[in-house]
Amino acid sequence: MMLLRLILTALSLGALPATVAIDLPDLPYSYDALAPAISEQTLRTHHLKHHAKYVNTANELLKSEPSYANLSPEKIIKDRKLRMKNLSLFNNVAQAINHAFYWKSLSPNGGGQPSGQLMDLIQRDFGSFEELKNKMESEALTCFGSGWAWLGYDASKGHEKLVVMKTTGAENPMALGITPLLTIDVWEHAYYLDFQERRGEYVKAYFDRLVNWSFAEENLKLLGLVIAKDEL
Amino acid sequence: MTNLSLALSAVLVGSTSGFSLDMKAQAPNTRRQVLQKTAALTTSIAIPAAANAYAVPDLNYPFEALEPYIDAPTMKIHHDKHHVANINKATEGKPEVDILELQLNALEAGPAVRNNGGGHYNHAFFWDEMAPPDQASKTKPSASLEAAIISSFGSLDEMKAAFEARAAPGALFGSGWVWICVNSKGDELKLVGTPNQDNPLMKGVAEEVMFPILGLDVWEHAYYLKYQNRRPEYVSNWWNVVNWDKVSENFEYVKEKKAGVPVRG
């Protein structure tokens, strides 16, 4: 009883370590929900081995960098000094974030096209949905080595537009001030069991059956953009 | 190529190829050298410039030969689908240069040459330093290589441990290769990790240009079908297929020539 009192007191004083900074979210669907495009084995391995390892390593490394423990993952990713000081911490935090974002970028009922403001912006900035899709596919296919392809929004003054880009390793567009709307993981572990070297087929399956345009629309809504009709 | 020069090439290739563990330090059989010999013999016949200057060399062993350490499907896909001589597109119309010579200035030559030229050299190097486990197990570093290992790492076991640590997913993040090299002065062995398809022969990649004698592909495609995320297991198993006779030969060659090991293709 005395011990319990001590623990509760310590907790209320913040004397015990803060709760872990990075968590491993559950998938928004079951492990077999994306098959046959992405197999159950791939989802289990990708989530429970790769993603989980990044989360655990990030939390382990955060123990020796307590000043970063209470920062949001976004702040950690944008911190230029951190990368130089502790690249491993950056890589693991960024990969934890990237993967959490990736799971939500996929859906068992994915594919098709977006609507609403996102579609308006696609037409404004790319001319057509086909153009946008082609650009994203191209970035995904030309990413040499390990990396990601993204649809994002650059909200910086004078540059406001949708952006399609690739990043290498653990890099996330937030570090460049771009808000991610969607991502596709093109590290080989994301597709190798199902597609081996055929990354093109994986990317096609992503657009045909998996891409979660609702998630992209939600992310865009969070920006609270007001686009004048005459801009479209 | 004309039919005559093709036939001559076939004869030359047939007479100098073939896998042998106790290879003498003869001039390696690169396709380019074969073509050059052929060209010399058929100078009276006009030969158009070869459109495909580089070719993926055949493996010296069947795809299943490195089982159980590297699985047959991986060997087949890795060799047939990943090791593609894309470098031909990047060098079309340019003067023919041995793949080894392309490495030094690869960064300057741009991403197409760096990525595809590097990849071609790295993979050609990789295939030939491996052997089926029952043959590999009979090999060991030569006396002079062993002396260099002891001098630079303390012991073979310490070198392997350092190599495995360098190859771990945390240490070599993403795609790349891990190498044991002779330094440019030729007096030390160095452990180097390089990203993507870079290698230490390329100016600007490592602390100085260095000459690999041993290298391991840690791109996920090299191990994912069998090992998935378990890269450390792939790396520690890999020693079972390392042909130390070839590695020792590589060592003697780079020390003497102060140049990189030539590769087939």
Side-chain angles (χ1 to χ4, degrees):
Chain A
M1 201 56 206
M2 189 56 187
L3 180 60
L4 179 61
R5 275 242 206 94
L6 271 170
I7 291 171
L8 287 171
T9 314
L11 268 171
S12 65
L13 290 173
L16 288 179
T19 48
V20 291
I22 314 285
D23 73 319
L24 178 70
D26 289 333
L27 295 187
Y29 30 74
S30 61
Y31 287 107
D32 61 358
L34 304 184
I38 298 182
S39 64
E40 178 171 356
Q41 194 196 3
T42 291
L43 276 190
R44 282 187 184 279
T45 310
H46 201 172
H47 183 238
L48 297 171
K49 304 288 183 184
H50 291 277
H51 188 178
K53 184 95 205 283
Y54 291 127
V55 170
N56 294 337
T57 307
N59 287 323
E60 204 45 52
L61 292 171
L62 279 168
K63 287 184 189 159
S64 45
E65 296 273 6
S67 56
Y68 288 98
N70 293 316
L71 288 183
S72 69
E74 181 175 342
K75 285 222 161 75
I76 293 177
I77 285 172
K78 287 182 166 176
D79 191 319
R80 291 274 149 200
K81 268 188 246 156
L82 173 62
R83 287 163 193 251
M84 293 192 278
K85 193 176 158 224
N86 195 337
L87 182 59
S88 193
L89 175 60
F90 167 79
N91 282 338
N92 284 283
V93 171
Q95 282 294 80
I97 301 316
N98 295 342
H99 282 89
F101 196 81
Y102 173 60
W103 305 132
K104 293 194 267 190
S105 296
L106 306 173
S107 162
N109 309 301
Q113 300 186 7
S115 57
Q117 191 184 56
L118 178 54
M119 193 52 144
D120 289 343
L121 288 177
I122 287 172
Q123 279 162 350
R124 182 191 77 181
D125 297 338
F126 290 90
S128 69
F129 175 74
E130 272 311 303
E131 252 319 294
L132 179 275
K133 193 172 90 127
N134 289 341
K135 286 230 149 65
M136 259 186 97
E137 280 182 344
S138 170
E139 291 302 287
L141 292 175
T142 57
C143 185
F144 192 71
S146 308
W148 303 76
W150 305 83
L151 172 66
Y153 193 83
D154 185 346
S156 62
K157 202 161 156 68
H159 298 104
E160 298 90 338
K161 63 182 182 309
L162 288 172
V163 166
V164 166
M165 59 185 283
K166 54 181 176 271
T167 60
T168 54
E171 189 60 88
N172 183 303
M174 287 194 284
L176 296 169
I178 290 168
T179 304
L181 300 176
L182 269 184
T183 194
I184 176 171
D185 188 350
V186 291
W187 281 61
E188 286 174 327
H189 64 240
Y191 60 90
Y192 212 78
L193 296 180
D194 301 324
F195 296 96
Q196 293 83 62
E197 82 287 356
R198 304 182 309 279
R199 191 192 285 186
E201 279 180 39
Y202 160 65
V203 174
K204 185 170 191 304
Y206 174 87
F207 282 104
D208 286 350
R209 287 180 279 180
L210 300 172
V211 62
N212 186 354
W213 290 111
S214 305
F215 179 58
E217 287 163 22
E218 268 166 47
N219 290 326
L220 186 65
K221 240 188 232 135
L222 290 172
L223 282 171
L225 298 175
V226 177
I227 318 282
K229 277 291 165 198
D230 59 8
E231 279 185 57
L232 297 170
Chain B
M1 285 177 88
T2 63
N3 287 336
L4 173 59
S5 53
L6 267 172
L8 281 166
S9 299
V11 168
L12 284 166
V13 169
S15 68
T16 52
S17 70
F19 177 64
S20 166
L21 270 175
D22 40 26
M23 289 198 295
K24 303 160 205 114
Q26 57 185 298
N29 170 34
T30 64
R31 190 172 184 278
R32 183 164 311 286
Q33 289 170 323
V34 167
L35 286 172
Q36 284 167 351
K37 284 182 198 167
T38 315
L41 287 167
T42 58
T43 41
S44 57
I45 301 165
I47 301 170
N52 299 305
Y54 306 100
V56 176
D58 288 336
L59 297 180
N60 286 326
Y61 37 78
F63 295 123
E64 66 270 17
L66 306 185
E67 292 264 11
Y69 306 108
I70 303 182
D71 55 302
T74 292
M75 288 305 292
K76 182 169 167 65
I77 296 167
H78 201 175
H79 176 266
D80 290 357
K81 305 288 184 182
H82 287 281
H83 184 183
V84 179
N86 278 330
I87 185 59
N88 287 318
K89 265 183 273 173
T91 53
E92 209 173 328
K94 304 208 179 100
E96 283 183 18
V97 160
D98 192 273
I99 191 67
L100 175 58
E101 289 167 48
L102 268 189
Q103 305 304 307
L104 180 67
N105 296 309
L107 264 57
E108 211 179 287
V113 172
R114 175 184 190 168
N115 293 339
N116 297 305
H120 185 50
Y121 180 86
N122 297 344
H123 287 93
F125 181 94
F126 187 52
W127 309 134
D128 282 3
E129 67 180 339
M130 294 191 288
D134 58 349
Q135 292 172 312
S137 60
K138 299 192 184 92
T139 68
K140 60 183 205 286
S142 63
S144 81
L145 174 57
E146 191 177 4
I149 289 171
I150 288 168
S151 163
S152 297
F153 293 97
S155 66
L156 181 59
D157 278 347
E158 279 162 279
M159 187 190 89
K160 286 181 178 180
F163 193 97
E164 290 181 37
R166 188 64 186 87
L172 201 144
F173 186 74
S175 308
W177 292 72
V178 180
W179 312 89
I180 297 289
C181 304
V182 171
N183 64 347
S184 67
K185 255 205 294 188
D187 61 358
E188 216 182 322
L189 289 179
K190 296 281 201 185
L191 171 65
V192 183
T194 55
N196 291 345
Q197 294 296 349
D198 289 354
N199 61 53
L201 292 167
M202 298 176 177
K203 204 172 14 172
V205 165
E207 65 200 58
E208 56 167 17
V209 168
M210 288 189 261
F211 312 112
I213 63 169
L214 177 77
L216 175 61
D217 190 347
V218 292
W219 280 62
E220 286 172 327
H221 64 240
Y223 61 88
Y224 209 78
L225 295 182
K226 180 182 168 71
Y227 295 97
Q228 292 89 62
N229 59 300
R230 304 183 311 278
R231 191 199 286 182
E233 200 185 311
Y234 157 69
V235 177
S236 63
N237 276 350
W238 181 66
W239 302 115
N240 292 293
V241 296
V242 168
N243 176 357
W244 289 102
D245 288 347
K246 177 68 166 90
V247 179
S248 302
E249 217 180 277
N250 289 345
F251 176 68
E252 294 311 320
Y253 185 90
V254 310
K255 264 192 61 168
E256 191 198 317
K257 307 284 187 184
K258 290 221 176 6
V261 171
V263 296
R264 297 184 295 126

